[in-house]
Amino acid sequence: MNTQAWRLPLLWLCALLLAAPLAVGLLLLLADGVAQDNLRLLLAQPGLWHSLGLSLWIASASTLGALLFTALLLAQGDGSRWMGLLLRLLSPLLALPHVAFAIGFAFLLAPSGWLLRLLSSPLGFASVPPDWQTLKDPAGLGLILALILKETPFLLLMALSALDPAKVARQQWIGVSMGFSLPQIWWRLLLPALWPALRLPLYAVAAYGIAVVDLAQLLGPDAPAPLAVRLWLWYQDADLHWRGASASGALLLLASGLLLLAGLRLLEWGHLGLGRRHWLDGRRAAPACLARRLVGGGAMGLLAINLLVLASLLLWSLTRRWPFPELWPSQWSGHHWLVLLPTLSPLLWQSLLLAIASAGISLLLVVLSLEAQQNRRPWPLWLVCLPLLLPQASLLFGLRLGADWLGAWWQGSWLQGSWLQGSGIGWGWVLWSQLLFVAPYVYLCLHGAYRQFDPRIVQAAQLLGASPWRAWWRVKAPLLARPLLFAFGVGAAVSLAQYLPTLLFGAGRVVTITTEAVAIGSGLNRRLAGLYGLLQLLLPLCIYALALWLPARINPALRHNS
């Protein structure tokens, strides 16, 4: 397969499909965003700089908090029992969607939530919840905490995947023989070496934090709201002049995101440059038991909060009456499950269809591009991850401008009314917008497996008379069944979690379980919110379970390792 002459055209085709829309969208965003009328309308908005500062504060605090928590877990948890438990449960933590976590987290953090119910008697709130703003607080502390709890498992997984266990064990043995404690070895030797591997994941976390819309609507402040939320509200306004203001605001958000990434890069340089003198001073110190216990308590708190989130979603979906300050519902009911679940089947099928289609097409494009890159210089990872490293709202507003322009050009043509729909709204446009964010995740999942695969296996099959396609299908694909299906599962989960692309290109005509969960979770009906949050969790879990079960059916050699 990697000897065919079509490799180079195929490589350029994949690059064109994945990169060209982003370039066009950014150019259109720049052209529309710098228009004087749009800038004038944007700058006249009250609280604009407050919203921008809030976005920068939430993104920087959540990113640095997740980074610090990850570093503490690695430095203090080596060899501990709680670290082993956390690593075993890392995959379920990552499988919990952000929106489902936010809905359940709101159930815990609300003034009448589970946490304050536990403390109601000591605090003196016997019958009425306290008048505290624990949700949507002006400083965005609840949103920051939720982002830290969700992004720490992701950064921890990225750090562990970048570490070579044999090299780590050798460095620890040398450090211990020289009198250094294990936390000192991590802080002085192992963690500084992790900066290059954590750079792109950290940038992705920061870009998500500065442009998050779904979680900000559920947990973030609203007087004023972060800039990304205000951009979405302006875009929805019936007055089309606000779309120009949203384009200028998206450009401002993009500049702020680049400034944040530059700040993280400066932090890396400062840490590596200024901290070197401290790392090499030769001072020995005994491990601090208090620090280890505190970090262990934080790790167990992370697991406990995720467990409580799941329990609160389940309880509220089955609750009929739950008065304050009772810890358990006084009356139970499965009314919402029995009545609404049959009517939700079209919504669930549409969500699954979008997820399967986007994950399948992304997997095909990624496999073709990786095959075409055999024996060539690989694409830089930062270029593949560009949609993840820039604020999603900025990219999507630019892409929507391109879709509007293309829709105006198609007016009256034979494409009008097709699945693409000339107005830039439709199922096909939603699928296309999701592909731009699903494909990078699929590429990251398969990149390492493809680089480690021994090409001599396929060459041996071809020497025995197999065609390149048959050698890939009968030899290479079964051997790579596990990473291929895992990448498909990750792509489907990412597609199911897409909120802003679905709303921006679906415009209410294409709805998924995620868009409905955010809409219901922003309201006052906790029972419906719990039901939708659970459904939003169950769909990716089913796909992950299938991705874990199928490899052993495809390749019998994997059954002994399962």
Side-chain angles (χ1 to χ4, degrees):
M1 188 173 183
N2 57 1
T3 61
Q4 300 301 313
W6 46 261
R7 284 174 50 207
L8 187 58
L10 180 63
L11 192 62
W12 281 105
L13 177 62
C14 294
L16 183 67
L17 291 174
L18 297 176
L22 297 178
V24 173
L26 289 175
L27 289 176
L28 290 173
L29 180 67
L30 180 63
D32 203 41
V34 298
Q36 290 186 358
D37 293 339
N38 297 336
L39 284 173
R40 192 179 299 113
L41 181 59
L42 173 69
L43 296 177
Q45 298 310 305
L48 173 66
W49 302 112
H50 190 146
S51 296
L52 179 60
L54 199 59
S55 296
L56 283 170
W57 155 246
I58 290 172
S60 57
S62 60
T63 304
L64 295 178
L67 176 64
L68 179 60
F69 195 10
T70 302
L72 288 171
L73 289 173
L74 290 172
Q76 300 291 337
D78 194 7
S80 65
R81 187 173 302 175
W82 53 262
M83 187 64 173
L85 178 62
L86 179 61
L87 295 182
R88 284 195 296 271
L89 297 177
L90 202 57
S91 296
L93 293 179
L94 292 170
L96 181 61
H98 283 71
V99 171
F101 178 84
I103 294 174
F105 190 68
F107 292 161
L108 299 180
L109 207 63
S112 60
W114 226 351
L115 295 182
L116 282 177
R117 288 171 187 263
L118 290 171
L119 302 175
S120 59
S121 296
L123 296 177
F125 300 104
S127 58
V128 179
D131 189 16
W132 296 349
Q133 194 172 4
T134 54
L135 290 178
K136 297 182 178 293
D137 59 286
L141 298 180
L143 177 58
I144 290 172
L145 180 59
L147 288 172
I148 291 175
L149 294 174
K150 278 303 296 175
E151 302 300 350
T152 297
F154 170 69
L155 290 179
L156 184 60
L157 178 65
M158 294 296 101
L160 292 173
S161 62
L163 290 171
D164 183 0
K167 186 177 180 180
V168 170
R170 184 167 60 250
Q171 290 172 331
Q172 287 178 334
W173 180 82
I174 294 175
V176 170
S177 65
M178 296 178 66
F180 292 99
S181 63
L182 286 179
Q184 278 189 306
I185 297 171
W186 275 99
W187 286 113
R188 294 171 179 246
L189 186 62
L190 297 175
L191 290 178
L194 273 177
W195 268 112
L198 285 180
R199 188 179 301 145
L200 290 182
L202 198 65
Y203 290 174
V205 169
Y208 178 80
I210 200 172
V212 62
V213 174
D214 45 6
L215 265 68
Q217 288 183 320
L218 294 170
L219 301 173
D222 53 6
L227 184 56
V229 177
R230 295 186 70 181
L231 293 180
W232 171 238
L233 295 177
W234 293 342
Y235 185 86
Q236 290 179 297
D237 197 281
D239 188 355
L240 295 181
H241 289 90
W242 286 103
R243 295 202 174 185
S246 64
S248 299
L251 196 60
L252 178 62
L253 190 67
L254 176 62
S256 304
L258 294 176
L259 180 64
L260 180 59
L261 298 189
L264 290 174
R265 181 64 168 165
L266 193 63
L267 175 66
E268 178 186 346
W269 284 339
H271 182 239
L272 294 178
L274 300 178
R276 192 180 302 274
R277 182 179 301 176
H278 171 69
W279 306 332
L280 303 178
D281 60 5
R283 296 178 59 184
R284 276 73 166 172
C289 296
L290 179 61
R292 190 178 181 90
R293 290 174 182 173
L294 289 176
V295 176
M300 299 309 294
L302 173 63
L303 296 176
I305 288 176
N306 279 270
L307 184 61
L308 289 174
V309 162
L310 293 176
S312 62
L313 289 174
L314 180 60
L315 288 178
W316 272 111
S317 69
L318 296 173
T319 294
R320 182 177 181 182
R321 187 172 182 270
W322 194 349
F324 186 88
E326 299 295 330
L327 291 179
W328 301 101
S330 59
Q331 295 181 11
W332 302 83
S333 174
H335 171 76
H336 290 92
W337 284 96
L338 296 174
V339 174
L340 291 180
L341 195 56
T343 64
L344 291 178
S345 56
L347 175 66
L348 296 176
W349 280 113
Q350 177 158 262
S351 302
L352 276 176
L353 184 60
L354 264 175
I356 292 172
S358 59
I361 296 174
S362 298
L363 184 64
L364 177 63
L365 289 175
V366 167
V367 168
L368 291 176
S369 65
L370 288 173
E371 288 290 335
Q373 291 179 68
Q374 292 290 329
N375 301 324
R376 291 180 179 272
R377 186 176 181 180
W379 289 344
L381 280 180
W382 68 266
L383 185 61
V384 178
C385 297
L386 192 61
L388 311 180
L389 304 181
L390 299 177
Q392 191 183 62
S394 301
L395 295 178
L396 287 173
F397 280 123
L399 292 173
R400 185 55 212 253
L401 288 173
D404 290 339
W405 173 83
L406 196 59
W409 180 71
W410 272 342
Q411 287 293 335
S413 68
W414 62 275
L415 287 169
Q416 183 68 20
S418 66
W419 74 299
L420 284 173
Q421 296 189 19
S423 60
I425 300 171
W427 198 90
W429 285 106
V430 173
L431 174 63
W432 172 73
S433 65
Q434 290 189 3
L435 281 176
L436 301 177
F437 301 97
V438 173
Y441 281 102
V442 175
Y443 189 93
L444 289 177
C445 291
L446 279 181
H447 177 262
Y450 252 81
R451 294 301 165 201
Q452 296 172 5
F453 188 82
D454 190 349
R456 293 176 297 179
I457 300 176
V458 176
Q459 293 173 3
Q462 294 179 4
L463 289 175
L464 293 174
S467 64
W469 164 250
R470 183 177 176 84
W472 186 90
W473 181 254
R474 298 297 299 272
V475 178
K476 191 170 186 177
L479 292 175
L480 292 177
R482 183 166 291 167
L484 285 170
L485 289 170
F486 178 76
F488 177 84
V490 169
V494 171
S495 172
L496 285 168
Q498 294 300 308
Y499 174 73
L500 198 57
T502 307
L503 282 182
L504 202 59
F505 288 88
R509 304 180 191 177
V510 181
V511 293
T512 63
I513 188 63
T514 298
T515 59
E516 292 298 291
V518 174
I520 297 296
S522 302
L524 299 176
N525 194 328
R526 294 187 176 182
R527 296 154 188 83
L528 275 181
L531 172 62
Y532 275 84
L534 272 181
L535 290 177
Q536 210 242 349
L537 167 64
L538 290 177
L539 288 180
L541 281 181
C542 292
I543 295 176
Y544 274 126
L546 189 63
L548 292 175
W549 176 79
L550 274 178
R553 316 277 86 75
I554 296 174
N555 185 5
L558 297 175
R559 295 176 186 174
H560 303 290
N561 300 325
S562 299

